[in-house]
Amino acid sequence: MDTLNDVAELLQEQIVKTSLGQERKSFVANEVFCKKKSITRTEYFTAGQSGLRPSAMFKVHLLDYDEELYIRYDQKIYSIYRTFENGDFIELYCEVRSGANQSTK
């Protein structure tokens, strides 16, 4: 059994209005334990056929995941493009997208 010995932040996207009335994207972070894994060769080629560029898979507790679309790990933001439930855990298949690594603090 894999030990979830790393920490990441699941990011929930929200739109907030500035004092000037402009809309701006912001994130609410939920810190979770995780295990980062490499993408398999099959996953890489299958996702690549859909135009995706898979770069990592994160395993987290199923109860910690609430349909977030992003995960921040080691100061990098990943976009979650697919999930797979596996018992008490969920696997989050991710890619790094251009523009997704803007400051979100």
Side-chain angles (χ1 to χ4, degrees):
M1 179 182 205
D2 287 330
T3 304
L4 305 183
N5 54 4
D6 261 336
V7 176
E9 293 176 310
L10 292 170
L11 303 174
Q12 193 73 262
E13 189 176 54
Q14 67 179 13
I15 303 296
V16 294
K17 286 196 175 192
T18 66
S19 59
L20 299 174
Q22 297 173 329
E23 292 184 349
R24 186 173 151 212
K25 183 169 46 171
S26 179
F27 292 100
V28 176
N30 177 30
E31 195 170 83
V32 297
F33 287 106
C34 71
K35 173 78 174 184
K36 182 182 180 193
K37 294 186 163 193
S38 297
I39 293 291
T40 64
R41 191 174 307 149
T42 303
E43 177 68 25
Y44 183 82
F45 287 112
T46 302
Q49 290 175 340
S50 299
L52 300 169
R53 295 188 169 264
S55 55
M57 186 273 283
F58 295 91
K59 186 174 183 177
V60 300
H61 286 283
L62 182 59
L63 295 175
D64 289 336
Y65 182 68
D66 190 24
E67 303 295 321
E68 288 90 353
L69 299 177
Y70 302 97
I71 185 168
R72 181 174 26 219
Y73 176 81
D74 197 25
Q75 300 181 5
K76 190 179 284 187
I77 297 176
Y78 295 84
S79 175
I80 301 166
Y81 67 83
R82 181 173 84 83
T83 62
F84 177 75
E85 291 185 27
N86 189 357
D88 292 334
F89 300 95
I90 189 164
E91 297 172 354
L92 309 175
Y93 291 85
C94 306
E95 68 176 338
V96 177
R97 287 195 174 168
S98 60
N101 283 299
Q102 301 168 9
S103 177
T104 59
K105 292 183 179 183

